[in-house]
Amino acid sequence: MTTTRLIVWRHGNTDWNAAGRVQGQSDVPLNGLGEQQAVDAAELLVRLRPAALVSSDLRRAADTAAALAALTGHSVRHDERLRERYFGAWQGLTMDEVAETRPQEHARWKAGEDVIGGDIETLDAMGKRVADAFQEAVGSAPAGGTVIVATHGAAARQGIGTLLGWPREQLRTLRALQNCHWAELTHDESRGWQLAAYNVGPFSERPVPPPV
């Protein structure tokens, strides 16, 4: 029985992560810490001998993937479906500012519900586009290989949940991936998709920036 492995890898730290600022689909680059995190994580992930690398086209994910590509010799395919959730009017604000200026929207977000107002992408729409990108990434690689996908915090969690068929209530039991940490999923014809590991990475525990 052939088992394929999918690694879902969150990008490294950015100045907006550090400030608790909502990034969404704003194209914020890695900071110095994030660049080092990508290098450190790549030194572990290269041992998995990935057959393919795919990344969000936003710089913080693309540059994270590039650190691994430098070790593997693979090119990185960019897929805009792997972008972070579109956070509309929230993008560029800190979460404190969102809570103060858009309290009803913020309350729904904290409760894990779709935000009404602010032109924010729904959870189902985000989950479907990201899961579709995961499936295509795996389908483009040799059966039984390992595919590594560089993406974003909210996108990673919702895409994984959609792939596994988890309801929102179950998905909310997963904490956000830390910067440059990853989840491991496996797939075979008998068992389908299974979550093998979550929030794996080379760094000591630290406060988790918002997955946005």
Side-chain angles (χ1 to χ4, degrees):
M1 181 169 56
T2 301
T3 300
T4 299
R5 177 165 54 186
L6 171 66
I7 303 297
V8 179
W9 186 21
R10 187 186 179 193
H11 62 78
N13 193 262
T14 71
D15 287 344
W16 283 26
N17 282 147
R21 197 170 296 280
V22 181
Q23 296 180 117
Q25 295 187 7
S26 300
D27 201 7
V28 182
L30 297 175
N31 57 23
L33 172 61
E35 291 171 353
Q36 186 60 54
Q37 288 175 334
V39 169
D40 292 344
E43 290 175 352
L44 294 180
L45 290 170
V46 70
R47 302 174 191 176
L48 302 181
R49 299 186 178 183
L53 306 178
V54 186
S55 172
S56 159
D57 61 342
L58 297 178
R59 283 182 292 171
R60 57 192 185 272
D63 288 350
T64 297
L68 179 56
L71 300 181
T72 65
H74 294 312
S75 60
V76 180
R77 181 172 67 82
H78 299 107
D79 188 335
E80 66 180 21
R81 293 174 298 176
L82 293 169
R83 288 182 178 187
E84 181 58 290
R85 186 180 188 182
Y86 180 64
F87 272 92
W90 293 22
Q91 293 182 179
L93 302 177
T94 66
M95 272 300 175
D96 287 343
E97 290 169 339
V98 173
E100 181 179 350
T101 62
R102 312 180 79 92
Q104 292 181 332
E105 295 172 14
H106 184 262
R108 291 186 64 89
W109 174 78
K110 283 196 70 175
E113 300 172 355
D114 279 320
V115 176
I116 298 174
D119 193 29
I120 295 173
E121 185 177 18
T122 67
L123 292 168
D124 287 348
M126 173 177 58
K128 183 179 186 309
R129 69 168 167 84
V130 176
D132 285 350
F134 289 168
Q135 293 273 24
E136 184 173 311
V138 169
S140 66
T146 295
V147 176
I148 297 181
V149 172
T151 185
H152 308 263
R157 186 164 59 180
Q158 200 68 32
I160 288 169
T162 301
L163 205 61
L164 295 171
W166 286 7
R168 289 187 189 180
E169 295 76 17
Q170 183 176 2
L171 187 55
R172 278 175 58 78
T173 66
L174 290 180
R175 60 179 291 176
L177 288 174
Q178 291 177 254
N179 284 120
C180 254
H181 280 52
W182 58 88
E184 177 182 342
L185 296 98
T186 59
H187 182 271
D188 62 58
E189 292 183 1
S190 172
R191 293 175 292 245
W193 284 105
Q194 293 185 305
L195 182 63
Y198 189 80
N199 231 348
V200 180
F203 317 114
S204 60
E205 188 68 16
R206 59 174 63 93
V208 181
V212 295

